[in-house]
Amino acid sequence: MNWRLIFVLFAVFAVGTNALIMAGIVPAIAKGLNTSEAIAGLGLTVFALTYAVVGPMLPIILSRFGRRTIMAGGLILFIGGTIMSGLAPDVATFMLSRVIVGVAAAAIPPQAAAIAIAISPPGREGRALGLLSAGILLSIAMGVPLGSLLGIWLGYSGAFLFLASLGIVGLIGLFFIPPTPKPAKATIAEQFAPFRRPAVLVLGLCAFLFAWCQYSITTFFAPLVKDSAGISDVEVPILLVIYGLTGVVAALFGGRLIDRFSGYAVAIGGFIAITITTPLFSVASSFLIAAIVVVVWSLAQNVTFPAAQVEMGRLHPANPATAFALFAALVQAGGAVGAAVSAGVLEALGARWIAPVAAVATLIGTVVLYALAHRLRRQAGARNILVEETADKPS
């Protein structure tokens, strides 16, 4: 492994942790800013919506810059925005900081992946990308709970400052990374080419609904489990550790399921499992029951997401990277909407209703995904019949 990848991993770890750290510190943010938990939770909505809007456009806007330069600029924005989040004196400043961090988060991961490939020896590109994926998963398994504990011990400001320090390490590490080729220029038409395929739009809708449910739960995870199971502040990070570690296991073994049964089969099964388990968050009456729900929910989520990604890439084989970028943007958009809806549910109906409402999104996603898979299977069958009939015709 190229030792320089460690610095890239720090950057990816920091960005991944920042995306979900609020799952454990929403109450602390609300208290510090003298606002409600619902309003504080909208910080994730602002972050995700910014990511969704800006992400697909950044490769076009920044195409004349080198990857290392783009990543350095993103890390500077990330560090400044994260510090601003931790020191914000009011809600307006906090929300502005989440916009800044959202722009940075949209810029860093694609460049980190490209740099990892560029500085890796031939034949080891997959291992480099696997290391970055592990950084994202570890940010869930370790970074989020650690941030939550820091939020308890030092206040939410300490949690954000911790993330900023990781970003600083990543920024310093860029000085040790050699310059890499500039990104290939892409026109607006090329960037949005996948949207011309209806199947891409439908699968994107499923990604949107998947993230709606996921962010609904993770954004207000603390108030949800506290209300239903009487979980303490210290036990919330423990549940998040369980969530993250289970996700690592699912990511390691989920690929085998996808290769054996196809992405659609795994994704449909995952959607069904998520739809069944999500409402159980509202009736989990103890820490043990909540932990079991978290394990099943995390397993289902972390095999569903890569399965849908695989099929998205297959729908646009000419440029799968573009399809992945659009997929990520729709995930962030769904997360933004899900967090916003859950904030309204929390205010109007209480924490116990967050999970049942969120499950409606994946229920719809299950139906839509099944219909898409069925239609594509029929189309593939029709094409095979046409090929066979053409081959049987005498020349």
Side-chain angles (χ1 to χ4, degrees):
M1 183 189 73
N2 191 318
W3 62 271
R4 296 178 179 89
L5 281 174
I6 297 298
F7 296 107
V8 180
L9 183 61
F10 266 104
V12 173
F13 181 87
V15 171
T17 304
N18 199 300
L20 291 173
I21 191 174
M22 290 181 59
I25 60 173
V26 165
I29 294 172
K31 184 177 179 180
L33 297 179
N34 195 27
T35 188
S36 68
E37 292 183 0
I39 296 299
L42 288 177
L44 182 53
T45 299
V46 172
F47 168 88
L49 192 58
T50 302
Y51 190 119
V53 173
V54 173
M57 300 302 298
L58 284 180
I60 299 173
I61 299 172
L62 303 176
S63 60
R64 62 193 182 92
F65 297 102
R67 298 193 185 279
R68 192 175 63 169
T69 302
I70 296 172
M71 190 167 173
L75 281 170
I76 291 171
L77 271 181
F78 174 84
I79 294 165
T82 303
I83 292 174
M84 187 176 175
S85 295
L87 303 179
D90 51 47
V91 173
T93 306
F94 179 75
M95 295 301 174
L96 176 61
S97 74
R98 303 317 292 164
V99 171
I100 295 172
V101 175
V103 173
I108 293 172
Q111 307 308 325
I115 289 173
I117 291 174
I119 67 176
S120 297
R124 301 213 169 196
E125 295 89 347
R127 297 184 188 183
L129 292 180
L131 181 63
L132 293 186
S133 297
I136 301 257
L137 290 169
L138 285 174
S139 71
I140 299 172
M142 297 174 58
V144 174
L146 180 58
S148 300
L149 289 172
L150 287 172
I152 295 172
W153 297 331
L154 306 176
Y156 74 92
S157 297
F160 283 118
L161 294 177
F162 164 72
L163 292 181
S165 68
L166 294 180
I168 292 173
V169 173
L171 182 61
I172 294 173
L174 287 180
F175 288 101
F176 299 97
I177 295 175
T180 56
K182 293 182 179 180
K185 292 184 178 180
T187 65
I188 294 179
E190 291 170 339
Q191 185 72 13
F192 290 98
F195 274 104
R196 291 198 289 266
R197 266 199 87 175
V200 172
L201 293 174
V202 175
L203 189 54
L205 173 62
C206 294
F208 179 93
L209 294 168
F210 169 88
W212 180 322
C213 179
Q214 181 190 40
Y215 279 64
S216 293
I217 301 300
T218 55
T219 303
F220 298 101
F221 186 80
L224 176 58
V225 295
K226 285 181 180 180
D227 183 73
S228 61
I231 301 297
S232 68
D233 287 338
V234 176
E235 289 173 323
V236 170
I238 296 175
L239 286 177
L240 289 171
V241 169
I242 294 172
Y243 172 80
L245 292 177
T246 305
V248 173
V249 174
L252 291 175
F253 295 98
R256 299 181 183 181
L257 292 176
I258 296 170
D259 292 337
R260 182 174 180 181
F261 298 106
S262 86
Y264 283 115
V266 173
I268 291 170
F271 262 90
I272 293 172
I274 293 169
T275 303
I276 293 172
T277 55
T278 298
L280 299 181
F281 278 105
S282 295
V283 296
S285 56
S286 67
F287 177 85
L288 177 60
I289 295 175
I292 294 172
V293 173
V294 166
V295 167
V296 178
W297 195 69
S298 181
L299 284 172
Q301 280 204 327
N302 288 287
V303 298
T304 301
F305 186 78
Q309 270 192 315
V310 166
E311 296 300 341
M312 179 65 91
R314 289 172 179 168
L315 287 174
H316 192 61
N319 191 357
T322 300
F324 291 152
L326 296 173
F327 185 88
L330 289 168
V331 165
Q332 294 298 328
V337 173
V341 170
S342 292
V345 171
L346 179 63
E347 286 284 282
L349 302 174
R352 284 180 183 266
W353 284 95
I354 291 175
V357 173
V360 174
T362 49
L363 176 61
I364 297 172
T366 302
V367 176
V368 172
L369 187 59
Y370 177 81
L372 172 63
H374 181 68
R375 180 177 179 181
L376 292 176
R377 188 164 53 246
R378 289 181 59 185
Q379 289 178 347
R383 283 195 296 269
N384 291 336
I385 292 173
L386 180 61
V387 170
E388 291 174 1
E389 290 177 349
T390 303
D392 291 339
K393 288 182 179 180
S395 56

